[in-house]
Amino acid sequence: MKYNHVSRCTVILASLALAVFTHAQSLPKAVDIYPKMGLGYNIGNTMEVPGNQGGPTGWGNPFPDAAYVKAIKDAGFNTVRIPCAWDTHASNGTISAGWLDTVKTVVDLVIGNGMYAILNSHWDGGWLEDHVFDGRGFDKGGETTVVATEIAAKQENYWKQIATKFAEYDEHLIFASANEPGVNDPWNGGADNGQWAFDDARMRVLKSYHEACLKAVRSTGGNNATRIVVVQAPRTEIEKAPLLSSMYPEDPAGAGYTMAEIHFYPYQFSLMTGGDEDWGKMFYYWEDKTPGNDAAHTCSGTALGSKQSIDNLFSGLKTRFYDKGIPVVIGEMGAVKRLNALSGDNLKAHLEARSAWYGYTVASAKKNGLVPCVWDTGDEGDGNFTIIRRQVNKFGGNVGDIVDVETLNAMREAYGQASVPGNTVDSTVKESVSTEDKALHIIYKTVQSDTSEAGTMRINLSDADWSQYVAISFDMRVDGVSAGPCTDATREGCGTDGWASVSVFNMSGEWAWKEVSLGNVSTLTTLANHKIEFGDGEGKLAIVDITKMNAIGINLYGTQFTGDMYLDNMLLWKADGTADTLLNFNKNKPSLDGIASGELIPANATGDWGASSTSDKTGICMPRVAKAMGLRLDVGQGLVTATFTASRSGVGMVMLLNSMGQVTAHQEFSAVKGMNRIELRSNYRGPAMLVVKQGGQQFVQKVILK
């Protein structure tokens, strides 16, 4: 597939970029470029989306345009990292010319705005990243055998093509050999925090991969003869930087034309979202940005991510690399927003803590010869990293709006830049807290025409003991429009209506999934109180381990459906007839995923509300859809089992995406028409999204892996 997004504006910017291109010459060394690179930013979840997963727009982001890239520059960034896929855009070892042109479009936009562009080779199915070993070893599929020389040859082949395409660009274009080589190493009790150990032998393999990239780039001549190339530490972990330093790749250009790369996500503060563990707590707060009564959930002292650890780690990188003429790129860094877990003053303290952490981290990076590049995925829901808006179709506003003013200003201050106006902390907290009685309004809108899609309202419970409860109840009304029939009799499935149904689900024990249907939307249009008993009988909600409840929620499954749900007063009932409130929505909005989005609204059972859109009632021609039951999941230790109904036979793909939108496990499968059951093994732990694609169908469900 070609992705050739060239516009008139792009051509103009490309012309500006060409103005700084030079003929073959010796480009500046890394230590000379470093002071000009400033603060860095990632266009995440876009150009690195594998071609077989939809390419740049496959994970929900629009293709980068001139307005978006200019907004990056205006926000104060001077380096843009462009994570990129290559292998899934290649055939028989040749990268598509259309794809190279598409990547060039983004590179030209960045350089045309006077910024530095770091163009890397990202995960892309793990062809290199998951195979940093020679001979017998492990990847996500288990034990396997790899010939490292073959991976190195593939690396050299791709980079020769990439470098040839960009040979005449000046020092504003930087290449990066890989992303996080070895990050998906399996968890098998190894020496590296439980992962398969990354030792000297594996570092020699990684060194050969980096040297294959360097050899390819230098061989193409032009400015590539001395272009800066970034090489990654094992798994880009700071703790593995000594391995990279001890076996640093040899560059045909000589010393001074490379940079090193690490990533920085101190887990308990940055990524941990599944609740406290017996080995450690989630860190919502940081240093003095804390409510003061929750030291257990505050990152301070010697904890990873504290001021002390940041300074110690970064000064170590300076000694090991920068002082030897090798600046370091923090290719990715960030901390998620825990919007659903906190409210009020606690949420405010958390958001202020994040901003202070970003500011301190980039200031320390600057002091120690590091280029900090913040990770930005474009999403703005719970667990997001986003600073600059781009998904306006989902979140409104304008492309380029700053959605995290305080974090941006903390980083701008570290680089001596003036603050930008605005207050997003207070506005975020205000949205989460109200003294008024609130209800939850959920909006559903399917995207696919022949796919059973799911919208999920989920409440995370952190292993709650519900043994005292016998039922759950809530007030609910659902209404909407199912498109169809179509009028074009020449199209397959013409005359087939859309549909939607609602189910209540729970996860308990080792994340075992159980669900009970409430019926089709057509039977739920009147506001009513629904009370569901716990148990294994007809119409009851089965629970595998009621002493360890992980999550509960409501799924709407549908195709060709646009509509709304009104939800309020979720109660847990005891055998004696008394009840406790699970959630009244007055302060907290639970997680909304898939085709579900929504807001807290004044509770008003008889108020004027209804389907969010009724414009597509008739005359819509839709392909045939199976009345599928949606996606059903069972989650065990390192294993996700998915059951779904396929509308036709054919090859499909199942993928597991982590909280940053990166694919951590995937596999193809052959589906039969009707019921299918597939298993996906993964060593990833934490919150993730499972995506099943087959034919025109796509199912999406949030999971948490332990």
PDB file of all heavy atoms in Angstrom, residues 576-596:
ATOM      1  N   ASP A 576     -28.614  -9.550  53.263  1.00  0.00           N
ATOM      2  CA  ASP A 576     -29.631  -9.037  54.193  1.00  0.00           C
ATOM      3  C   ASP A 576     -30.470  -7.915  53.586  1.00  0.00           C
ATOM      4  O   ASP A 576     -31.302  -7.308  54.260  1.00  0.00           O
ATOM      5  CB  ASP A 576     -28.976  -8.557  55.485  1.00  0.00           C
ATOM      6  CG  ASP A 576     -28.003  -7.398  55.271  1.00  0.00           C
ATOM      7  OD1 ASP A 576     -27.888  -6.917  54.125  1.00  0.00           O
ATOM      8  OD2 ASP A 576     -27.361  -6.974  56.252  1.00  0.00           O
ATOM      9  N   GLY A 577     -30.234  -7.603  52.297  1.00  0.00           N
ATOM     10  CA  GLY A 577     -31.035  -6.597  51.622  1.00  0.00           C
ATOM     11  C   GLY A 577     -30.479  -5.192  51.676  1.00  0.00           C
ATOM     12  O   GLY A 577     -31.041  -4.275  51.068  1.00  0.00           O
ATOM     13  N   THR A 578     -29.364  -4.986  52.376  1.00  0.00           N
ATOM     14  CA  THR A 578     -28.718  -3.677  52.393  1.00  0.00           C
ATOM     15  C   THR A 578     -27.735  -3.589  51.218  1.00  0.00           C
ATOM     16  O   THR A 578     -27.372  -4.595  50.606  1.00  0.00           O
ATOM     17  CB  THR A 578     -27.968  -3.451  53.712  1.00  0.00           C
ATOM     18  OG1 THR A 578     -26.965  -4.461  53.871  1.00  0.00           O
ATOM     19  CG2 THR A 578     -28.935  -3.510  54.883  1.00  0.00           C
ATOM     20  N   ALA A 579     -27.306  -2.358  50.916  1.00  0.00           N
ATOM     21  CA  ALA A 579     -26.447  -2.164  49.748  1.00  0.00           C
ATOM     22  C   ALA A 579     -25.357  -1.147  50.043  1.00  0.00           C
ATOM     23  O   ALA A 579     -25.524  -0.251  50.875  1.00  0.00           O
ATOM     24  CB  ALA A 579     -27.280  -1.709  48.556  1.00  0.00           C
ATOM     25  N   ASP A 580     -24.233  -1.300  49.357  1.00  0.00           N
ATOM     26  CA  ASP A 580     -23.144  -0.328  49.372  1.00  0.00           C
ATOM     27  C   ASP A 580     -23.028   0.284  47.977  1.00  0.00           C
ATOM     28  O   ASP A 580     -23.285  -0.385  46.965  1.00  0.00           O
ATOM     29  CB  ASP A 580     -21.810  -0.990  49.731  1.00  0.00           C
ATOM     30  CG  ASP A 580     -21.767  -1.474  51.167  1.00  0.00           C
ATOM     31  OD1 ASP A 580     -22.454  -0.862  52.005  1.00  0.00           O
ATOM     32  OD2 ASP A 580     -21.054  -2.453  51.438  1.00  0.00           O
ATOM     33  N   THR A 581     -22.610   1.538  47.921  1.00  0.00           N
ATOM     34  CA  THR A 581     -22.439   2.201  46.627  1.00  0.00           C
ATOM     35  C   THR A 581     -21.092   1.826  46.022  1.00  0.00           C
ATOM     36  O   THR A 581     -20.047   2.038  46.636  1.00  0.00           O
ATOM     37  CB  THR A 581     -22.521   3.728  46.779  1.00  0.00           C
ATOM     38  OG1 THR A 581     -23.793   4.076  47.315  1.00  0.00           O
ATOM     39  CG2 THR A 581     -22.328   4.411  45.435  1.00  0.00           C
ATOM     40  N   LEU A 582     -21.128   1.255  44.829  1.00  0.00           N
ATOM     41  CA  LEU A 582     -19.895   0.983  44.087  1.00  0.00           C
ATOM     42  C   LEU A 582     -19.421   2.250  43.395  1.00  0.00           C
ATOM     43  O   LEU A 582     -18.260   2.637  43.498  1.00  0.00           O
ATOM     44  CB  LEU A 582     -20.126  -0.128  43.055  1.00  0.00           C
ATOM     45  CG  LEU A 582     -18.963  -0.403  42.096  1.00  0.00           C
ATOM     46  CD1 LEU A 582     -17.720  -0.840  42.866  1.00  0.00           C
ATOM     47  CD2 LEU A 582     -19.360  -1.433  41.062  1.00  0.00           C
ATOM     48  N   LEU A 583     -20.326   2.928  42.691  1.00  0.00           N
ATOM     49  CA  LEU A 583     -19.974   4.160  42.001  1.00  0.00           C
ATOM     50  C   LEU A 583     -21.252   4.950  41.712  1.00  0.00           C
ATOM     51  O   LEU A 583     -22.210   4.407  41.172  1.00  0.00           O
ATOM     52  CB  LEU A 583     -19.251   3.857  40.677  1.00  0.00           C
ATOM     53  CG  LEU A 583     -18.513   5.005  40.012  1.00  0.00           C
ATOM     54  CD1 LEU A 583     -17.408   5.561  40.918  1.00  0.00           C
ATOM     55  CD2 LEU A 583     -17.899   4.558  38.686  1.00  0.00           C
ATOM     56  N   ASN A 584     -21.233   6.235  42.092  1.00  0.00           N
ATOM     57  CA  ASN A 584     -22.384   7.078  41.770  1.00  0.00           C
ATOM     58  C   ASN A 584     -22.052   8.110  40.698  1.00  0.00           C
ATOM     59  O   ASN A 584     -22.910   8.891  40.299  1.00  0.00           O
ATOM     60  CB  ASN A 584     -22.927   7.778  43.016  1.00  0.00           C
ATOM     61  CG  ASN A 584     -21.878   8.658  43.695  1.00  0.00           C
ATOM     62  OD1 ASN A 584     -20.871   9.024  43.106  1.00  0.00           O
ATOM     63  ND2 ASN A 584     -22.120   8.995  44.953  1.00  0.00           N
ATOM     64  N   PHE A 585     -20.792   8.110  40.253  1.00  0.00           N
ATOM     65  CA  PHE A 585     -20.324   8.948  39.147  1.00  0.00           C
ATOM     66  C   PHE A 585     -20.256  10.430  39.491  1.00  0.00           C
ATOM     67  O   PHE A 585     -19.970  11.249  38.620  1.00  0.00           O
ATOM     68  CB  PHE A 585     -21.190   8.753  37.888  1.00  0.00           C
ATOM     69  CG  PHE A 585     -21.287   7.321  37.444  1.00  0.00           C
ATOM     70  CD1 PHE A 585     -22.431   6.581  37.671  1.00  0.00           C
ATOM     71  CD2 PHE A 585     -20.215   6.708  36.821  1.00  0.00           C
ATOM     72  CE1 PHE A 585     -22.518   5.265  37.279  1.00  0.00           C
ATOM     73  CE2 PHE A 585     -20.285   5.380  36.411  1.00  0.00           C
ATOM     74  CZ  PHE A 585     -21.438   4.657  36.648  1.00  0.00           C
ATOM     75  N   ASN A 586     -20.500  10.805  40.733  1.00  0.00           N
ATOM     76  CA  ASN A 586     -20.476  12.225  41.071  1.00  0.00           C
ATOM     77  C   ASN A 586     -19.085  12.834  40.938  1.00  0.00           C
ATOM     78  O   ASN A 586     -18.938  14.014  40.638  1.00  0.00           O
ATOM     79  CB  ASN A 586     -20.982  12.445  42.497  1.00  0.00           C
ATOM     80  CG  ASN A 586     -22.476  12.217  42.611  1.00  0.00           C
ATOM     81  OD1 ASN A 586     -23.163  12.137  41.606  1.00  0.00           O
ATOM     82  ND2 ASN A 586     -22.973  12.109  43.835  1.00  0.00           N
ATOM     83  N   LYS A 587     -18.052  12.021  41.164  1.00  0.00           N
ATOM     84  CA  LYS A 587     -16.686  12.547  41.102  1.00  0.00           C
ATOM     85  C   LYS A 587     -15.817  11.812  40.085  1.00  0.00           C
ATOM     86  O   LYS A 587     -14.861  12.379  39.568  1.00  0.00           O
ATOM     87  CB  LYS A 587     -16.018  12.460  42.480  1.00  0.00           C
ATOM     88  CG  LYS A 587     -16.639  13.349  43.532  1.00  0.00           C
ATOM     89  CD  LYS A 587     -15.858  13.265  44.837  1.00  0.00           C
ATOM     90  CE  LYS A 587     -16.440  14.187  45.896  1.00  0.00           C
ATOM     91  NZ  LYS A 587     -15.686  14.134  47.165  1.00  0.00           N
ATOM     92  N   ASN A 588     -16.129  10.567  39.818  1.00  0.00           N
ATOM     93  CA  ASN A 588     -15.215   9.757  39.019  1.00  0.00           C
ATOM     94  C   ASN A 588     -15.870   9.247  37.749  1.00  0.00           C
ATOM     95  O   ASN A 588     -16.975   8.721  37.785  1.00  0.00           O
ATOM     96  CB  ASN A 588     -14.713   8.560  39.835  1.00  0.00           C
ATOM     97  CG  ASN A 588     -13.937   8.998  41.058  1.00  0.00           C
ATOM     98  OD1 ASN A 588     -13.075   9.853  40.958  1.00  0.00           O
ATOM     99  ND2 ASN A 588     -14.258   8.429  42.201  1.00  0.00           N
ATOM    100  N   LYS A 589     -15.155   9.386  36.657  1.00  0.00           N
ATOM    101  CA  LYS A 589     -15.571   8.783  35.393  1.00  0.00           C
ATOM    102  C   LYS A 589     -14.723   7.539  35.184  1.00  0.00           C
ATOM    103  O   LYS A 589     -13.491   7.624  35.163  1.00  0.00           O
ATOM    104  CB  LYS A 589     -15.370   9.750  34.232  1.00  0.00           C
ATOM    105  CG  LYS A 589     -15.854   9.196  32.888  1.00  0.00           C
ATOM    106  CD  LYS A 589     -15.703  10.213  31.776  1.00  0.00           C
ATOM    107  CE  LYS A 589     -14.261  10.361  31.359  1.00  0.00           C
ATOM    108  NZ  LYS A 589     -14.118  11.240  30.172  1.00  0.00           N
ATOM    109  N   PRO A 590     -15.329   6.364  35.045  1.00  0.00           N
ATOM    110  CA  PRO A 590     -14.548   5.144  34.864  1.00  0.00           C
ATOM    111  C   PRO A 590     -13.890   5.099  33.492  1.00  0.00           C
ATOM    112  O   PRO A 590     -14.096   5.985  32.651  1.00  0.00           O
ATOM    113  CB  PRO A 590     -15.599   4.039  35.017  1.00  0.00           C
ATOM    114  CG  PRO A 590     -16.867   4.679  34.589  1.00  0.00           C
ATOM    115  CD  PRO A 590     -16.780   6.110  35.029  1.00  0.00           C
ATOM    116  N   SER A 591     -13.106   4.054  33.262  1.00  0.00           N
ATOM    117  CA  SER A 591     -12.414   3.898  31.985  1.00  0.00           C
ATOM    118  C   SER A 591     -13.417   3.627  30.871  1.00  0.00           C
ATOM    119  O   SER A 591     -14.315   2.797  31.010  1.00  0.00           O
ATOM    120  CB  SER A 591     -11.415   2.742  32.088  1.00  0.00           C
ATOM    121  OG  SER A 591     -10.825   2.479  30.842  1.00  0.00           O
ATOM    122  N   LEU A 592     -13.252   4.336  29.759  1.00  0.00           N
ATOM    123  CA  LEU A 592     -14.079   4.132  28.570  1.00  0.00           C
ATOM    124  C   LEU A 592     -13.157   3.795  27.418  1.00  0.00           C
ATOM    125  O   LEU A 592     -12.256   4.570  27.095  1.00  0.00           O
ATOM    126  CB  LEU A 592     -14.899   5.387  28.255  1.00  0.00           C
ATOM    127  CG  LEU A 592     -15.910   5.817  29.323  1.00  0.00           C
ATOM    128  CD1 LEU A 592     -16.542   7.150  28.943  1.00  0.00           C
ATOM    129  CD2 LEU A 592     -16.995   4.760  29.510  1.00  0.00           C
ATOM    130  N   ASP A 593     -13.410   2.660  26.775  1.00  0.00           N
ATOM    131  CA  ASP A 593     -12.513   2.179  25.734  1.00  0.00           C
ATOM    132  C   ASP A 593     -13.304   1.776  24.493  1.00  0.00           C
ATOM    133  O   ASP A 593     -14.525   1.663  24.509  1.00  0.00           O
ATOM    134  CB  ASP A 593     -11.710   0.971  26.227  1.00  0.00           C
ATOM    135  CG  ASP A 593     -10.841   1.306  27.436  1.00  0.00           C
ATOM    136  OD1 ASP A 593     -10.041   2.234  27.319  1.00  0.00           O
ATOM    137  OD2 ASP A 593     -10.990   0.639  28.467  1.00  0.00           O
ATOM    138  N   GLY A 594     -12.550   1.486  23.434  1.00  0.00           N
ATOM    139  CA  GLY A 594     -13.175   1.037  22.201  1.00  0.00           C
ATOM    140  C   GLY A 594     -13.989   2.153  21.565  1.00  0.00           C
ATOM    141  O   GLY A 594     -13.517   3.286  21.424  1.00  0.00           O
ATOM    142  N   ILE A 595     -15.231   1.855  21.197  1.00  0.00           N
ATOM    143  CA  ILE A 595     -16.076   2.848  20.533  1.00  0.00           C
ATOM    144  C   ILE A 595     -16.817   3.724  21.541  1.00  0.00           C
ATOM    145  O   ILE A 595     -17.681   4.513  21.156  1.00  0.00           O
ATOM    146  CB  ILE A 595     -17.082   2.176  19.586  1.00  0.00           C
ATOM    147  CG1 ILE A 595     -18.042   1.248  20.363  1.00  0.00           C
ATOM    148  CG2 ILE A 595     -16.376   1.416  18.486  1.00  0.00           C
ATOM    149  CD1 ILE A 595     -19.202   0.744  19.538  1.00  0.00           C
ATOM    150  N   ALA A 596     -16.501   3.582  22.831  1.00  0.00           N
ATOM    151  CA  ALA A 596     -17.191   4.337  23.881  1.00  0.00           C
ATOM    152  C   ALA A 596     -16.398   5.587  24.257  1.00  0.00           C
ATOM    153  O   ALA A 596     -15.202   5.528  24.493  1.00  0.00           O
ATOM    154  CB  ALA A 596     -17.404   3.473  25.112  1.00  0.00           C
TER     155      ALA A 596
END
